[in-house]
Amino acid sequence: MLGQLAEQQTVPVPGAKILSVKGLEVSFDGFKALRNLDFSLEYGELRFLIGPNGAGKTTLLDVICGKVKPSLGEVFFKDTIDLAKHQEHQIAQLGIGRKFQAPSVFSTLTVFENLALSMKQKRGLLSALWAKTTSEQRDRLHQRLAMIGLQSKAKERAGSLSHGEKQWLEIGMLLMQEPDLLLLDEPAAGMTDSETEKTGELLHEIAADQTIIVVEHDMAFVRQFAKTVTVLHEGTVLREGTMLDIQNDDRVAEVYLGRRVERGA
């Protein structure tokens, strides 16, 4: 059953939707965390989700990855896969990967071993750790090491990395699973300016082959690297468009309590 799920594939065409959300509602003890939310995402998009605390950003990601089931509405992946009918582990196998804000790596293992353990494969963790990698797998591992900028630290223990390096390693671990859609929660949080810059460049590099949703609060980061932004407020979409559209929207400025950070103030 799970193997059949993982093999479901849809060949993307220009403008095709990898994710389609319609009329989504999520209630917690009578409180509507999401209400009549419509949202869609095309293959290859890098989409930023912003909004004040409690806007529903994390809840939307929870629904997409199967952690939370909707009260109403539908969530379709690659046109035909109804995510509401699948469990969290099944959705991961279908090609949706999620990274939470705090990095989660195997501190006592090396950077290389962390990536090797995360590789998409049909074997358990222990056998994956001790089995010899093929030349093709080693090529993939070194490609990801290069992408996340940790080639020189491949043999170092993950616990010795800086906060930013751990974030990049976890993104690399997620990529080793070969997801079609990545969900990233504040990937630049706690980083230095140079690390933040590198993270934005990394997201654009990843988006050349995969689709990404980023939840972010750092508006300077969003302004610099976002192409399309969706603003959530009180569980529904308030505004969607380019960063210029968002910056010039008075409703968005009001939602942010007059701080007008979107205008660069």
Side-chain angles (χ1 to χ4, degrees), residues 46 48 199-208 212 224-227:
L46 170 58
F48 279 75
T199 299
E201 294 171 354
L202 176 59
L203 295 183
H204 278 274
E205 186 175 356
I206 295 170
I212 310 173
Q224 185 173 359
F225 293 103
K227 292 182 179 179

Side-chain angles (χ1 to χ4, degrees), residues 85-207:
K85 294 182 178 179
H86 295 95
Q87 300 303 310
E88 197 169 353
H89 69 282
Q90 294 174 319
I91 291 173
Q93 290 184 336
L94 286 166
I96 297 178
R98 183 174 183 183
K99 182 195 175 309
F100 294 88
Q101 181 178 347
S104 177
V105 299
F106 298 101
S107 298
T108 59
L109 299 181
T110 67
V111 169
F112 189 88
E113 288 169 340
N114 269 271
L115 291 177
L117 270 178
S118 304
M119 192 180 301
K120 187 177 182 180
Q121 53 201 330
K122 295 180 180 179
R123 56 189 184 193
L125 287 178
L126 291 177
S127 61
L129 180 59
W130 298 113
K132 291 184 177 179
T133 56
T134 66
S135 59
E136 181 181 353
Q137 289 173 330
R138 285 193 296 274
D139 286 344
R140 285 181 50 221
L141 286 164
H142 285 292
Q143 286 171 358
R144 292 309 183 194
L145 274 171
M147 175 179 276
I148 62 177
L150 295 178
Q151 309 99 306
S152 64
K153 301 196 174 185
K155 295 182 180 180
E156 294 187 18
R157 294 192 186 276
S160 69
L161 299 177
S162 71
H163 171 74
E165 289 169 339
K166 287 177 181 176
Q167 296 280 40
W168 301 330
L169 175 56
E170 191 174 15
I171 290 174
M173 293 166 66
L174 191 60
L175 292 173
M176 293 307 299
Q177 290 288 318
E178 302 176 23
D180 298 301
L181 174 61
L182 285 76
L183 312 177
L184 306 180
D185 196 346
E186 296 190 62
M191 289 188 175
T192 64
D193 289 345
S194 61
E195 288 175 335
T196 299
E197 178 84 17
K198 180 176 176 179
T199 299
E201 294 171 354
L202 176 59
L203 295 183
H204 278 274
E205 186 175 356
I206 295 170

